């Protein structure tokens, strides 16, 4: 394999040559404190990897099919500046949140070359065992810089690294862990990403909390094909943020090695000093199309492309180091070394086996037989917290909100790595007062308010979790979770798509459902089936205070992320009241509760509907067996099947929409696995496919009520 070639330059005139010599004589010496040979090596490696992939893709017809990178993104032009940045990430607990053009940074942090090529080829092992796009990288490191799992969406890298930066301050100041002193979190993004919610949310977090976070913006003036001034007014985010409070801002040329190193060293030093965040914008050329299938000539002129080629940072780096630090022959030897190493890595990557299809379903959830992923409490920490499903005698009668508050209070006491946060959860104690008094007792570092950004709440929780904490985040109402959809998806899929390298266990408390005598389309949404579809999430929906205690405690000690649904009607009334089952009470997830035994019909429900169904079941004596699922991911399929095989009839009642609600999953399962036991068709009773209305008269017309449920039961019993 040939060494990476430099772009051809026109022969200079005598005057131009003389001017070039004068400029060279006046150029600064290579900046001290940097291992410039190592920087040059990784920059050339990155360039060589890109050339291998691009050349292979251009010549698909002439290479074996399994040698083609199916989804290729080049970092050419971005490479040198990233490698310089990586050389500055030396803290024991430093971390970076990056994106699909960030492979040069990973190379500088220790990414093996065969992994750098093997993952894009979809081979076994590597970042994801063939499960994710090859340049969507990650780099776990127990005792050095970490690269958080990248994502395929734009801008989602920012809020998790803000969470990591906040975790640095928590480990350092609250847990007194000296290994976090002077450490930083770095978010890498392109100029297009500064238009996203994630960027602005993380910027708010970093500046209001003065987090040790560096925003590294590499500006190539293109968001795929969209010009930079369509992403940012004036096309310069650094200029626009010059007056932003608590933000140290620098702007420069990412193709100039001296200026790049100077600015990055200045910004990293500022962040390490503990005074607050910094942002650096470096202009860089994009010396390629956006991705393999893209053809930039459709939206760029030849002159624009040529102008970028003339700004290639690799020749600039060579001119900066030769002859000041390396001789021409030493540079040539370095190029030959890179060529040999990349060729050997390519052979090794191509020789790797393909991933095994039989393993594709592994690691959606934590596997007790597998090693701990990077993130969350360790297995030993979880086991030390203990727990039992035995109920303590003599517990105080509590409403749902009080039971949740008491459980949070106890877990904050016994688990110093647990933090509780969300909009208004601190001084106010939450809009439903569930966290009332907790900040006063445990301090604002452990129970704290957030800015109004659900993207920020969940992204922050992800970073906190990866950093080894147990975040309990509140989304104020179910409907408000929608802006956090990307972060929720990225959290749930993290363990699977990194092949158990990373995980972000957390609890997301989410009130929703109809209120006491009131509803509306915004605060009264249930829509739990959406999270049943969410890969990797556990979904809990308690109907009473005792179950809420056991399920919440189980969620806070789980290696998997959990949606903990708090029904508004139960928070606002005493309907879910029960005796406190004790400070050690833990309920296994996925175990339904038989509320009432019966012989002729199985009534399946969950959440607030349990109380309406219980009222109906009592009317029919021992005819109706009432099951409260308690969790819908996982759901207790065995309990439902056992009951229906006994009764021969089933009615499913839920608050979510009828069409494709979770009742449809239960009905389909019964049709497939208990068909010959059925004496009547499985029926579902749920709201029509319309939003929750405001006026009580309309609300009663939409929700399944006791009368409707009773009529459905009576009808089924007559079949």
């Amino acid at each position: 394999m040939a060494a990476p070639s430099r772009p051809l330059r026109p022969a200079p005139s005598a005057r131009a040559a003389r001017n070039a010599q004068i400029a060279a004589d006046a150029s600064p010496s290579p900046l001290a404190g940097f291992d410039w040979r190592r920087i040059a090596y990784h920059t050339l490696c990155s360039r060589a990897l890109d050339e291998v992939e691009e050349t292979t893709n251009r010549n698909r017809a002439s290479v074996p099919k399994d040698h083609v990178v199916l989804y290729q993104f080049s970092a050419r032009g971005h490479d040198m500046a990233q490698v310089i940045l990586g050389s500055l990430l030396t803290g024991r607990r430093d971390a970076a949140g990056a994106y699909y053009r960030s492979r040069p940074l990973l190379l500088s942090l220790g990414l093996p070359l065969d992994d750098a090529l093997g993952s894009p080829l979809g081979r076994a092992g590597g970042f994801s065992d063939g499960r994710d796009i090859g340049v969507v990288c990650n780099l776990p490191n127990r005792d050095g810089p970490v690269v958080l799992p990248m994502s395929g969406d734009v801008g989602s890298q920012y809020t998790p690294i803000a969470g990591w930066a906040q975790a640095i301050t928590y480990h350092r100041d609250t847990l007194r862990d000296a290994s976090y002193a002077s450490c930083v979190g770095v978010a890498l993004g392109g100029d297009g990403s500064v238009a996203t919610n994630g960027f602005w949310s993380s910027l708010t977090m970093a500046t209001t909390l003065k987090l040790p976070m560096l925003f590294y913006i590499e500006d190539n003036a293109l968001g795929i094909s969209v010009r930079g001034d369509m992403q940012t007014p004036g096309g310069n985010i650094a200029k626009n943020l010059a007056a932003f409070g608590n933000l140290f801002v620098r702007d420069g040329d990412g193709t100039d090695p001296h200026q790049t190193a100077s600015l990055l060293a200045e910004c990293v030093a500022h962040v390490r000093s503990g005074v607050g965040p910094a942002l650096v914008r470096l202009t860089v050329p994009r010396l390629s199309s956006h991705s393999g299938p893209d053809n930039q000539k459709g939206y760029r002129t030849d002159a624009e492309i040529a102008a970028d080629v003339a700004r290639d940072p690799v020749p600039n780096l060579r001119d900066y180091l030769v002859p000041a630090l390396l001789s021409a022959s030493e540079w040539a030897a370095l190029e030959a070394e890179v060529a040999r190493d990349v060729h050997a890595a390519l052979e090794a990557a191509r020789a790797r086996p393909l991933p095994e299809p039989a393993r594709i379903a592994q690691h959606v959830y934590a596997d007790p037989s597998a090693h701990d992923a990077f993130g969350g409490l360790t297995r030993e920490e979880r086991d030390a917290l203990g727990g039992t499903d035995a109920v303590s005698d003599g517990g105080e009668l509590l409403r749902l909100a009080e039971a949740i508050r008491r459980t949070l209070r106890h877990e904050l006491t016994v688990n110093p790595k647990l933090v509780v946060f969300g909009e208004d959860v601190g001084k106010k104690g939450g809009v439903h007062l569930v966290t009332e008094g907790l900040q006063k007792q445990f301090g604002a570092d452990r129970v704290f308010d957030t800015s109004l950004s659900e993207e920020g709440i969940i992204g922050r929780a992800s970073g906190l979790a990866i950093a080894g904490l147990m975040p309990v985040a509140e989304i104020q109402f179910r409907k408000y979770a929608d802006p956090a959809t990307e972060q929720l998806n990225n959290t749930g899929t993290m363990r699977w798509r990194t092949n158990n390298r990373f995980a972000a266990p957390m609890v997301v408390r989410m009130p929703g459902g109809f209120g006491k005598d009131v509803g509306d389309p915004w605060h009264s949404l249930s829509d739990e089936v959406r999270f049943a579809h969410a890969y990797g999430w556990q979904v809990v929906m308690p109907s009473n205070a005792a179950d809420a205690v056991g399920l919440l405690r189980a969620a806070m000690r789980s290696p998997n992320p959990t949606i903990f649904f708090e029904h508004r009607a139960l928070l606002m009334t005493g309907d879910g009241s029960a005796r406190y089952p004790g400070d050690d009470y833990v309920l296994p997830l996925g175990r339904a509760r038989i509320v009432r035994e019966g012989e002729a019909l199985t009534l399946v429900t969950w959440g607030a509907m349990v109380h309406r169904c219980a009222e109906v079941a009592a009317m029919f004596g021992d005819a109706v067996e009432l099951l409260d699922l308690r969790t819908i991911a996982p759901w207790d399929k065995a309990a439902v099947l056992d009951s229906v095989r006994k009764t021969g009839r089933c009615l499913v009642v839920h608050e979510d929409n009828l069409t494709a609600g979770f009742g449809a999953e239960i009905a389909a399962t019964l049709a497939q696995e208990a068909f010959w036991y059925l004496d009547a068709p499985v029926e579902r009773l749920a709201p029509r496919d319309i939003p929750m209305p405001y006026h009580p008269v309309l609300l009663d017309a939409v929700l399944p009520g006791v009368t409707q449920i009773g009529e459905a039961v009576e009808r089924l019993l007559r079949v």
Side-chain angles (χ1 to χ4, degrees), residues 41 162 170 389 453 533 619 685:
Y41 173 82
Y170 187 85
D389 60 359
S453 167
H533 293 162
M619 302 174 185
L685 185 59

Side-chain angles (χ1 to χ4, degrees), residues 390-396 579-582:
V391 176
S392 297
D393 294 331
E396 182 183 356
R579 297 202 174 275
Y580 185 69

Side-chain angles (χ1 to χ4, degrees), residues 262-568:
S262 298
L263 292 177
L264 288 175
E266 185 182 14
C267 288
V268 171
H270 175 88
V271 177
R272 290 201 193 281
S273 72
V275 296
L279 179 143
V280 59
R281 168 187 176 259
L282 296 175
T283 56
V284 294
R286 197 183 78 189
L287 303 177
S288 62
S289 296
H290 167 72
S291 63
D294 175 45
N295 183 359
Q296 63 179 329
K297 291 193 174 183
Y299 50 85
R300 302 184 79 192
T301 67
D302 290 342
E304 288 170 337
I305 295 172
D308 262 4
V309 170
R311 296 177 60 231
D312 187 344
V314 169
N316 294 346
L317 180 61
R318 183 189 186 282
D319 293 343
Y320 184 62
L321 300 181
V322 177
L325 194 66
L326 298 173
S327 67
S329 61
E330 287 174 324
W331 182 269
L334 182 62
E335 290 181 323
E337 179 186 348
V338 168
R340 288 193 301 271
D341 290 350
V342 170
H343 178 74
L346 180 61
E347 293 298 308
R350 287 175 173 172
R352 287 184 176 186
L354 297 177
E356 299 176 25
R359 297 183 62 249
I360 192 59
Q362 288 184 340
H363 306 311
V364 175
Y365 296 103
D367 181 349
S369 66
H371 64 82
D372 272 353
F374 192 110
L377 304 180
T378 66
R379 199 168 312 200
E380 292 74 22
E381 287 172 327
R382 294 195 304 270
D383 290 344
L385 293 170
T388 175
D389 60 359
V391 176
S392 297
D393 294 331
E396 182 183 356
L397 186 66
L398 298 177
R399 290 164 58 139
L400 184 77
E402 295 167 320
I404 294 171
R405 184 187 310 119
R406 181 174 293 192
T407 306
L408 290 172
R409 179 181 293 117
H410 179 75
E411 294 301 302
L412 282 162
T413 301
V414 300
N415 182 3
K417 292 189 173 182
L418 191 141
V419 290
V420 177
F421 56 92
E423 295 163 20
D424 303 304
V425 306
K427 288 185 178 180
K428 179 177 174 60
V431 294
H432 295 100
L433 302 182
V434 173
T435 58
E436 187 178 28
L438 295 183
Q439 185 182 86
K440 185 176 182 180
Q441 181 176 353
F442 294 99
D445 55 337
R446 301 200 63 197
V447 181
F448 54 87
D449 293 318
T450 68
S451 53
L452 202 161
S453 167
E454 286 73 25
E455 149 91 23
I457 291 171
I458 304 302
R460 178 200 314 240
S462 180
L464 291 167
I466 296 171
L469 303 180
M470 171 45 71
V472 179
E474 178 181 301
I475 298 293
Q476 207 163 77
F477 293 95
R478 156 62 197 95
K479 182 66 178 70
Y480 298 169
D482 290 352
T485 298
E486 283 186 344
Q487 292 296 342
L488 290 163
N489 176 69
N490 294 344
T491 296
T493 60
M494 185 179 297
R495 185 187 297 275
W496 178 87
R497 59 190 166 87
T498 65
N499 195 33
N500 201 41
R501 285 158 67 101
F502 280 90
M506 66 177 71
V507 177
V508 179
R509 296 177 41 248
M510 193 178 297
F514 67 92
K516 181 181 181 294
D517 301 325
V518 69
D520 71 76
W522 315 110
H523 304 84
S524 300
L525 184 68
S526 180
D527 194 28
E528 65 270 14
V529 75
R530 187 164 311 218
F531 298 108
H533 293 162
Y535 312 115
W537 283 93
Q538 300 167 153
V539 184
V540 173
M541 300 193 69
S543 66
N544 62 80
D547 285 356
V549 170
L551 294 170
L552 178 58
R553 183 166 287 118
M556 289 188 287
R557 300 179 183 188
S558 173
N560 301 306
T562 305
I563 301 293
F564 187 83
F565 197 89
E566 300 170 7
H567 202 285
R568 289 181 65 214

